[in-house]
């Protein structure tokens, strides 16, 4: 499905959490449906599944702690058939996962889980996230339906049919959407795990509905129609996925960050590159050494003193990425090289252009190393 294809390769907390939480929910749903069994071996396997699910849920919580209500809901629902046998290994697996998170924090020289409070304090208490926009509570539902478009007419009935067999994933998806709907700042990727679960339910439901239709045919027609129904169902899913992926508003995600990454790739291809400066980046500063692919310092200059600090440190770099209109603020020895623009970019100034100067670099990143600046709010 197109949304999974688009978001899965991105090293974002939501995509990482999906890879952990969805398998855990699959295990819990199976446990809820089948129970522990009567033999000692089956009960042991049941307990092992609970431990694995607990570990995965805890790691998913670490990846994106905003999924905590949904994770807690899944953990309470999963063992309900035999809580006495399942809940202890589930909790043990969860404690192991949380312990691994604490060890990772300590290895990084941080107080375990202090980042959770820091995130909560900055984004909700101080309201920093609202700088990026505030949306109404119904925004996620409206965006999901807008992205799916006409496919919603088929997906929604299939989701309902799939939820009849797997109610827990449906409930978890609704908890995720409800929880994030209460937050002032919203982005579509925030509810990625809910979208994946809903698509999973729609896939199951579509098969159930196809089986229901073919079962009502005469026996001789049923044998012929079953194979055709499977092929037709696959074709419909492919068509829906392509339609969603190529249509607005989802098609904007394919070019998200393309210009910046393209400018980094082009800058990294210059043999004489010895240092790169990002000057007054539009929006949130973002850079990636994986795109630059060169072991040279990346520097960041932003804020009211960006022009003077860049001029004073120009010996540290010989390439600058900035907007075309900012080129006149660079020192005179920097000349325009090229700009990167998406094919479908909107009219306006080119935001990612490369300016270069001749000569070597000296001094490294210093106080304006990219990561050092990001950790210094007043920079």
């Amino acid at each position: 499905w197109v949304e999974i294809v688009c978001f899965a390769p991105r090293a974002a907390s939501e995509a990482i959490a999906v890879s952990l939480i969805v398998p855990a929910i699959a295990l819990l749903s199976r446990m809820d449906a089948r129970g522990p069994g009567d033999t000692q071996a089956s009960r042991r396997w049941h307990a092992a599944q609970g431990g694995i699910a607990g570990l995965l849920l805890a790691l998913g919580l670490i990846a994106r702690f905003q999924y905590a209500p949904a994770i807690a809901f899944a953990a309470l629902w999963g063992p309900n058939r035999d809580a006495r046998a399942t809940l202890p290994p589930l909790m043990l697996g969860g404690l192991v996962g949380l312990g691994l998170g604490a060890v990772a924090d300590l290895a990084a020289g941080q107080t375990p889980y202090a980042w959770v409070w820091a995130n909560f304090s900055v984004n909700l208490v101080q309201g920093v996230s609202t700088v990026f926009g505030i949306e109404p509570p119904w925004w996620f539902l409206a965006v999901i339906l807008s992205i799916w478009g006409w496919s919603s007419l088929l997906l929604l009935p299939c989701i309902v049919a799939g939820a009849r067999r797997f109610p827990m994933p449906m409930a978890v998806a609704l908890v995720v959407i409800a929880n994030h709907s209460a937050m002032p700042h919203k982005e579509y990727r925030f509810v990625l795990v809910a979208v994946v679960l809903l698509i999973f339910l729609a896939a199951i439901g579509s098969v159930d509905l196809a089986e229901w239709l073919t079962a009502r045919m005469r026996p001789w027609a049923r044998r012929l129609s079953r194979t055709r129904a499977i092929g037709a169902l696959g074709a419909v899913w492919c068509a829906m996925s392509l339609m969603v992926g190529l249509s607005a508003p989802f098609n904007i995600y394919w070019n998200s960050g393309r210009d910046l990454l393209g400018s980094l790739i082009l800058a990294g291809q210059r043999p004489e590159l010895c240092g790169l400066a990002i000057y007054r980046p539009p929006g949130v500063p973002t850079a990636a050494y994986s795109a630059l692919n060169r072991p040279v310092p990346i520097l960041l200059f932003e804020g009211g003193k960006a022009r003077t600090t860049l001029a004073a440190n120009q010996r540290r770099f010989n390439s600058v990425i900035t907007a075309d209109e900012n080129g006149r603020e660079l020192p005179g020895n920097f000349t325009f090289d090229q700009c990167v623009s998406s094919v479908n970019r909107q009219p306006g100034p080119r935001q990612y252009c490369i300016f270069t100067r001749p000569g070597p670099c000296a001094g490294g990143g210093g106080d304006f190393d990219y990561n050092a600046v990001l950790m210094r709010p007043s920079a």
Side-chain angles (χ1 to χ4, degrees):
W1 182 256
V2 63
E3 288 159 295
I4 301 174
V5 171
C6 181
F7 289 108
R10 305 181 184 218
S13 61
E14 297 84 8
I16 296 171
V18 165
S19 300
L20 296 163
I21 295 173
V22 172
I25 291 176
L27 285 172
L28 293 174
S29 296
R30 178 181 297 180
M31 293 164 59
D32 180 44
R34 298 182 179 179
D38 298 328
T39 67
Q40 186 175 6
S42 63
R43 286 193 293 269
R44 287 177 179 174
W45 173 233
H46 194 77
Q49 287 180 304
I52 296 171
L55 174 64
L56 293 174
L57 288 177
L59 294 177
L61 177 65
I62 294 171
R64 181 163 178 81
F65 74 91
Q66 291 88 344
Y67 287 155
I71 290 172
F73 186 87
L76 292 174
W77 183 310
N80 65 3
R81 182 179 288 270
D82 189 3
R84 293 176 59 183
T86 306
L87 195 56
L90 182 72
M91 295 177 62
L92 179 60
L95 291 174
V96 171
L98 295 176
L100 292 174
V103 170
D105 289 340
L106 290 171
Q110 303 293 322
T111 302
Y113 296 107
W115 53 269
V116 176
W117 169 248
N119 187 295
F120 178 82
S121 175
V122 169
N123 288 320
L124 293 183
V125 177
Q126 301 177 35
V128 172
S129 64
T130 59
V131 174
F132 304 107
I134 299 176
E135 292 79 22
W138 58 85
W139 187 83
F140 283 116
L141 291 176
V143 169
I144 290 174
L145 293 177
S146 175
I147 286 177
W148 288 352
W150 290 104
S151 299
S152 301
L153 298 177
L154 294 176
L155 290 174
L156 293 178
C158 291
I159 289 172
V160 174
R164 294 183 61 185
R165 193 195 300 188
F166 294 101
M168 195 253 282
M170 181 68 179
V172 172
L174 294 177
V175 171
V176 169
I177 294 174
N179 174 48
H180 285 76
S181 295
M183 299 178 183
H185 174 61
K186 301 174 179 65
E187 295 182 31
Y188 185 57
R189 61 185 174 87
F190 289 173
V191 296
L192 181 60
V193 69
V195 173
V196 172
L197 290 174
L198 291 176
I199 291 298
F200 162 76
L201 292 173
I204 297 298
S206 67
V207 175
D208 287 349
L209 291 176
E211 293 281 0
W212 181 81
L213 290 173
T214 55
R216 275 150 181 76
M217 298 179 178
R218 293 186 177 182
W220 62 268
R222 190 182 309 161
R223 288 191 294 271
L224 295 175
S225 299
R226 184 180 178 86
T227 302
R228 292 179 180 178
I230 293 173
L233 196 59
V236 169
W237 271 98
C238 288
M240 289 193 300
S241 183
L242 285 172
M243 184 175 70
V244 171
L246 298 176
S247 304
F250 188 81
N251 57 0
I252 64 172
Y253 288 106
W254 298 113
N255 288 324
S256 177
R258 176 179 177 179
D259 290 355
L260 172 58
L261 294 176
S263 64
L264 289 168
I265 292 171
L266 289 176
Q269 292 174 351
R270 294 183 61 238
E272 62 272 23
L273 177 69
C274 53
L276 175 67
I278 310 294
Y279 180 64
R280 297 191 189 280
V284 180
T286 307
Y289 272 104
S290 59
L292 186 65
N293 199 28
R294 294 284 295 280
V296 301
I298 300 179
L299 298 87
L300 175 61
F301 297 92
E302 59 178 358
K305 299 181 179 180
R307 184 172 184 176
T308 57
T309 53
L310 180 136
N313 290 271
Q314 60 179 293
R315 63 187 179 87
R316 300 178 184 273
F317 52 88
N318 62 356
S319 292
V320 179
I321 294 178
T322 188
D324 189 15
E325 60 184 3
N326 293 334
R328 60 180 179 271
E329 300 180 8
L330 303 179
N333 56 342
F334 280 88
T335 58
F336 173 82
D337 183 26
Q338 58 184 316
C339 292
V340 177
S341 299
S342 297
V343 175
N344 61 343
R345 73 175 177 87
Q346 298 299 318
R350 293 177 293 182
Q351 299 291 348
Y352 297 100
C353 298
I354 302 174
F355 295 80
T356 63
R357 67 162 174 84
C361 307
D367 292 337
F368 294 93
D369 176 80
Y370 199 91
N371 288 319
V373 175
L374 292 180
M375 296 172 64
R376 189 170 63 245
S378 60

